[in-house]
Amino acid sequence: MGEKKKGFFKAYLEFNVLYKILIGLAVGAIVGIILASCNVTALPAWISMFGTIFTRLLKMIIIPMIVGSLVVGASSVSPANVGKVGVRIIIIYLITSAIAVVIGLIMGSIFQPHAELAAVEKLAADAAGKVADTNVWSVIYNIIPTSVLSSLVSETVLQVIFFSLLFGMCLSFMKVSKDERIARISNTMFDIFDCLTEIMLKIVAGIMQYAPIGVAVLICEVFAKNGAKVAGALGTVTLACYFGYILHVVLVYGGILKLGGIKIGPFFKEASVPFITAFVTRSSNGTLPKTMQAADNLGVDKEVYAFSLPLGATINMDGTACYQGVCSIFLVMSVYGRMLTFGEMGMLVLLATLASIGTAGVPGAGAIMLAMCMQGLNMPITPGTTMAGAYAMILGVDAILDMGRTALNVFGDLTCTSVVAKKLGFVRKDAIIL
């Protein structure tokens, strides 16, 4: 007897999520254009509900995702490894991430990607701008929450990030305590947050299975209200992101390699394998074996790359940070009809740099991080708003953007690891980068 035919539901789950979302984007756009040509600008409430469900699911996971991933990320860094290598690698990871956000903001400011959307939300934008433009000192001290529970309930992202990092760092030291009881309960607490993170990743995976339906409905609403003219905006977003990625590789990583005395030719040759693998798989963690092999081929000592590369796959998200800069400008210009203020740009640099510590190295994580950053800028992706439609547009091409940003993330991990290892003498005598 031949193989039993797969049911529709099973076949749907096994079909590549990337293709499903792209199909959802295409179907939603086509139906929306048809509706616009027939002067139908609103979907029935029972259909629109499916888009609202998707945006509510995204909002649901933001805070638990931040708490779980940041606590695990911060507490996974062993105090024993945060010596001269660890401190340097963490600092360089965070600095390059901050620079990447700035490059993304520059590309966004140059290309000014935006869609001419109906019902531009100017009042909400003005309110958000006033909050983000408060003086720098109030921004700094307001990072520290007066009540952790209040910050969680009110979804004050920056305060939640601060507390989660502090909690994770303290947990890291307690895990290696000589006091058996403290070490035991600390490892139990770590397991709880690790479990929370894994649960949230499972929920994210489930949401991504529903994403094609949500994206199709939201995109349909956008095109029905605005017509085909918004399609070109997605091409501009993609172009701006990839220009930013290339600029970061050439200027930032090229400059770091040059200053570090690394032979660029041999380095690029070895880095090409993990770079291409990351581009195809869209997963920093999935590419990790290839990245480690490349580091070994370059002559980096295992004690360095075995620590820095897994850490980089967790906290070094330069491609994702660059993407935040471009896409935040797209959302604000499309929804509020204006550019980000300098105060908002500064806040975004801080948010994206800190949030990168807890961004999972899995496909699509950058889109969740974008939602976190917009929440932190007091411009949440609220169901039924123009922001939800603009975000759906980004999500429709997110897989294409994700390929480039993941490749950039992995290339950055290898660059920073090689430079720090060479500067501190943690390379073999036969290292090809010498």
Side-chain angles (χ1 to χ4, degrees):
M1 292 180 67
E3 290 185 12
K4 187 178 179 180
K5 287 186 177 181
K6 296 178 181 176
F8 173 78
F9 186 66
K10 186 175 181 182
Y12 175 83
L13 291 178
E14 291 180 356
F15 191 56
N16 192 302
V17 174
L18 161 63
Y19 300 139
K20 285 188 290 193
I21 291 178
L22 289 176
I23 291 170
L25 170 68
V27 170
I30 292 169
V31 174
I33 291 170
I34 293 172
L35 291 175
S37 67
C38 299
N39 294 318
V40 178
T41 58
L43 298 177
W46 69 271
I47 295 179
S48 182
M49 173 191 72
F50 290 100
T52 301
I53 287 172
F54 179 57
T55 51
R56 288 179 71 93
L57 286 170
L58 289 173
K59 283 182 67 67
M60 175 186 75
I61 64 172
I62 289 176
I63 294 300
M65 190 79 181
I66 290 174
V67 174
S69 59
L70 283 182
V71 169
V72 170
S75 58
S76 294
V77 181
S78 170
N81 287 329
V82 186
K84 61 180 182 178
V85 174
V87 170
R88 284 170 174 79
I89 202 72
I90 290 170
I91 289 174
I92 197 171
Y93 279 160
L94 294 179
I95 289 174
T96 55
S97 292
I99 294 172
V101 188
V102 173
I103 289 176
L105 289 171
I106 292 171
M107 290 298 100
S109 299
I110 292 172
F111 284 88
Q112 295 193 5
H114 66 284
E116 298 291 340
L117 301 180
V120 175
E121 299 163 7
K122 291 184 180 296
L123 293 178
D126 293 339
K130 288 175 183 176
V131 173
D133 277 335
T134 51
N135 72 75
V136 66
W137 307 117
S138 66
V139 171
I140 292 172
Y141 67 67
N142 277 319
I143 291 174
I144 303 171
T146 54
S147 168
V148 176
L149 290 179
S150 176
S151 299
L152 291 169
V153 172
S154 63
E155 298 182 336
T156 310
V157 173
L158 207 53
Q159 292 184 355
V160 175
I161 288 175
F162 175 83
F163 179 77
S164 299
L165 287 174
L166 189 63
F167 190 99
M169 286 187 288
C170 290
L171 187 59
S172 174
F173 280 91
M174 291 172 65
K175 281 165 58 185
V176 295
S177 172
K178 293 180 180 179
D179 186 313
E180 187 177 326
R181 184 188 66 85
I182 291 178
R184 175 174 52 80
I185 60 176
S186 299
N187 279 286
T188 300
M189 181 61 71
F190 174 83
D191 288 341
I192 291 171
F193 279 96
D194 194 22
C195 182
L196 171 63
T197 304
E198 291 299 325
I199 290 171
M200 294 314 302
L201 289 176
K202 285 290 183 184
I203 294 175
V204 168
I207 292 173
M208 287 300 106
Q209 291 294 340
Y210 178 75
I213 299 168
V215 167
V217 173
L218 291 170
I219 287 292
C220 181
E221 290 184 315
V222 169
F223 276 82
K225 289 178 182 177
N226 303 280
K229 62 184 179 181
V230 298
L234 295 179
T236 307
V237 168
T238 304
L239 195 64
C241 281
Y242 273 88
F243 261 99
Y245 299 157
I246 293 168
L247 201 62
H248 197 76
V249 169
V250 174
L251 295 184
V252 180
Y253 294 149
I256 290 173
L257 291 169
K258 192 72 175 175
L259 291 172
I262 303 289
K263 292 181 179 178
I264 295 179
F267 179 87
F268 271 68
K269 184 178 179 182
E270 286 297 333
S272 63
V273 174
F275 183 88
I276 294 170
T277 304
F279 189 85
V280 174
T281 63
R282 300 165 50 229
S283 173
S284 300
N285 288 330
T287 309
L288 199 51
K290 295 288 186 183
T291 316
M292 287 185 164
Q293 183 61 55
D296 190 65
N297 293 343
L298 288 168
V300 178
D301 285 351
K302 185 176 181 179
E303 63 180 295
V304 174
Y305 73 70
F307 162 71
S308 66
L309 291 179
L311 181 67
T314 303
I315 74 169
N316 188 40
M317 298 289 168
D318 292 2
T320 306
C322 182
Y323 157 92
Q324 306 302 320
V326 174
C327 292
S328 295
I329 285 180
F330 170 80
L331 292 175
V332 172
M333 289 193 70
S334 300
V335 177
Y336 302 134
R338 64 171 177 84
M339 278 289 293
L340 285 169
T341 66
F342 283 113
E344 288 164 345
M345 287 183 180
M347 182 68 80
L348 182 65
V349 171
L350 184 60
L351 279 166
T353 303
L354 294 177
S356 68
I357 296 173
T359 304
V362 296
I368 305 300
M369 183 175 163
L370 178 60
M372 294 178 188
C373 287
M374 297 311 296
Q375 181 82 29
L377 288 175
N378 296 307
M379 302 178 193
I381 298 165
T382 305
T385 62
T386 311
M387 177 65 82
Y391 181 77
M393 292 177 66
I394 289 292
L395 199 62
V397 294
D398 183 69
I400 298 170
L401 305 178
D402 194 16
M403 295 167 80
R405 69 178 182 244
T406 305
L408 182 61
N409 292 343
V410 168
F411 193 88
D413 297 343
L414 195 56
T415 298
C416 297
T417 295
S418 300
V419 169
V420 170
K422 185 176 183 298
K423 281 294 182 184
L424 297 176
F426 288 97
V427 290
R428 299 193 304 267
K429 292 181 179 179
D430 62 339
I432 62 175
I433 56 176
L434 293 175

